[in-house]
Amino acid sequence: MRSDKAGERARAKQRNSMQAEVPAAHPVDRHIGQQIRIRRIQSDLSQSDLAKGIGVSFQQVQKYERGKNRVSASMLYELARCLKVPVAIFFEGLPEPGTGDLSQIAAKVDERVAYISTTEGRELIGYILQLPPRVRSRLLSLVSVLIEE
């Protein structure tokens, strides 16, 4: 009985040490993952649908979207093909290499993605898209003025 407890403690310690060694996702990987998620949601695709379209599991798509797994150049190309967007769109919003702080960019996108991912966010976007372009423009002006106050 004692050896079972000691063995379990050793296994738990090993699991914890393995978890501690996993590096945090690079800000560029997180940004690209968030862009994938935004484009997937805009295309009204589930993670499973996108996974089928690019030939991977939905769990792999989840890892790409979180930035936990890096997206290779060929996979980025396949994602762009499936989502019908140019490859460069995944890099929009990133500063030129060596010219900016990537952590601030990722934080701004996190908030937008988090909101778009909610039922309220998708519902709001759906309603806004039903408005004529001129009314949308006026609504944007109104929101801008409200934020300034």
Side-chain angles (χ1 to χ4, degrees):
M1 187 167 221
R2 258 185 160 191
S3 62
D4 288 344
K5 287 183 181 183
E8 182 56 37
R9 282 194 299 266
R11 285 188 291 279
K13 185 176 179 180
Q14 184 179 11
R15 279 193 306 269
N16 290 340
S17 69
M18 288 172 54
Q19 289 173 351
E21 293 173 17
V22 175
H26 189 279
V28 172
D29 295 329
R30 287 185 58 229
H31 177 83
I32 289 173
Q34 290 164 349
Q35 292 301 313
I36 292 168
R37 182 173 176 86
I38 289 168
R39 304 306 167 192
R40 178 181 60 77
I41 291 169
Q42 287 176 340
S43 298
D44 200 28
L45 291 174
S46 68
Q47 289 178 331
S48 295
D49 293 337
L50 181 57
K52 286 177 192 167
I54 61 173
V56 299
S57 67
F58 82 91
Q59 292 96 337
Q60 185 62 43
V61 170
Q62 287 176 331
K63 291 176 183 180
Y64 287 153
E65 289 184 356
R66 286 191 216 122
K68 296 294 180 191
N69 283 10
R70 289 187 168 160
V71 183
S72 69
S74 58
M75 186 53 68
L76 203 55
Y77 183 85
E78 287 300 314
L79 284 159
R81 179 195 53 77
C82 187
L83 295 169
K84 298 178 177 83
V85 297
V87 173
I89 207 159
F90 299 118
F91 296 92
E92 284 184 0
L94 287 174
E96 287 297 317
T99 63
D101 182 12
L102 295 174
S103 62
Q104 292 177 351
I105 304 280
K108 289 178 187 175
V109 176
D110 280 347
E111 289 179 37
R112 289 183 288 186
V113 170
Y115 185 71
I116 289 170
S117 300
T118 67
T119 302
E120 179 184 66
R122 288 191 303 270
E123 190 175 336
L124 177 62
I125 290 168
Y127 287 141
I128 290 171
L129 291 174
Q130 291 176 13
L131 297 171
R134 186 169 160 227
V135 175
R136 275 190 249 164
S137 178
R138 287 182 174 176
L139 180 60
L140 180 61
S141 297
L142 172 64
V143 171
S144 178
V145 168
L146 290 172
I147 290 172
E148 289 176 8
E149 294 203 9

